[in-house]
Amino acid sequence: MDIEDLRKFIVVAQYENLNKASQYLSVTTGALSKVVKRIEHKLEVQVFDRVGKHIRLNQRGNKFLLYATHLVHEADQALSEFRGSTAVYNVTVAGPSLLLQYYLPTLLSKPSFVQTHFHVNVNACWEGKALDSVSKGGSDLAIATSFAMEEREKDPSLHHISLGSSTYVVAAAENHAAITEAKNGALTSQSLYGYAFACPDVSPFCGIKRGIGSDGWRDDKVPRSIRYRCNDFGTLISIVRQGLALAYVPDFIAKSHNLTSVDVLGYDFYHTEHFELVYKPSMASGWLNRFVDSVKSAIS
């Protein structure tokens, strides 16, 4: 079965829409329709159900998709094992925007990327979607929290490497009144309540509320005065940087935006996130396994 047909099939399966898939692949819908027909002829079964003008991947199609992604993945890695250093590879990295901004520059500086030519596609999305994308062959790498890895069903095809962790801190602009008060020692929970907080509507990693608060703060233990609810994390940081509010954010976010951490007396529930690089290993010694080995060596 032709690898390029399988590659196109995977895209059609992801979109379940010939028009959108054809736009992504820059081919005609007629050409994609022929690809699907060739595959179904080879398999002697239908992999899509036709529902009016739409198509839906059926149970047999979902099973075949697993085989197709595995075959394309192995073919790509086998080719990259034997091609010369001048070969160019398309690499897709998926994950939440905040994690991509923090980890991607470091990952792209690894020897496997420096010594080989890559076209990198960055897919900023919630971590659940990023993991699904790696599982289904839409992405080569994903960056996600260990929480997301634990929440999804066990997938033996996915491997992961720990990239590190981040402890959340109460962050403020340098000119915020809380910084002046905290110079004489940490803030008490009572004085903390006197300052406005900016809080995200949902977790900036998974897009849903997790725990007591969407940012991990235990409001049931130490209540806050939340005056800003933001569905955009960039706007939340802008509010904090202007000195209008405090926020509970990962320490690398506070550091990258030159925010100051504020200690709170009597608060012993500080939230920590662990981050993982997720990938599908290959039998071939292609670029992906070489890249993963370089990451492991750098961490160990």
Side-chain angles (χ1 to χ4, degrees), residues 187-214:
L187 294 177
T188 64
S189 57
Q190 290 83 3
S191 59
L192 181 75
Y193 191 81
Y195 296 110
F197 258 84
C199 184
D201 279 344
V202 295
S203 163
F205 304 129
C206 65
I208 58 175
K209 291 188 176 181
R210 297 199 323 209
I212 301 299
S214 55

Side-chain angles (χ1 to χ4, degrees), residues 102-103 146 162-168 250-252 271-276:
Y102 183 66
Y103 283 109
S146 57
S162 175
L163 291 176
S165 61
S166 176
T167 299
Y168 278 49
D251 51 14
F252 68 83
H271 184 63
T272 299
E273 293 277 13
H274 301 275
F275 306 115
E276 314 277 356

Side-chain angles (χ1 to χ4, degrees), residues 127-128 131-132 145-155 206 208-211:
E127 56 188 355
L131 295 177
D132 286 339
T145 66
S146 57
F147 181 88
M149 292 294 293
E150 294 166 3
E151 282 290 288
R152 66 181 285 113
E153 294 181 4
K154 184 72 173 177
D155 186 345
C206 65
I208 58 175
K209 291 188 176 181
R210 297 199 323 209

Side-chain angles (χ1 to χ4, degrees), residues 129-143:
K129 186 176 180 181
L131 295 177
D132 286 339
S133 183
V134 174
S135 179
K136 295 177 180 178
S139 298
D140 301 289
L141 299 162
I143 302 175

Side-chain angles (χ1 to χ4, degrees), residues 20-28:
K20 291 181 179 179
S22 67
Q23 291 173 13
Y24 178 84
L25 293 167
S26 298
V27 298
T28 65

Side-chain angles (χ1 to χ4, degrees), residues 3 24-25 29 34 42 56 60 79 93 105 128 154 199 202 247 251 276 299:
I3 290 295
Y24 178 84
L25 293 167
T29 56
K34 289 179 180 178
K42 285 279 188 180
R56 293 288 183 271
R60 288 165 296 188
L79 287 172
V93 186
K154 184 72 173 177
C199 184
V202 295
D251 51 14
E276 314 277 356
I299 293 173

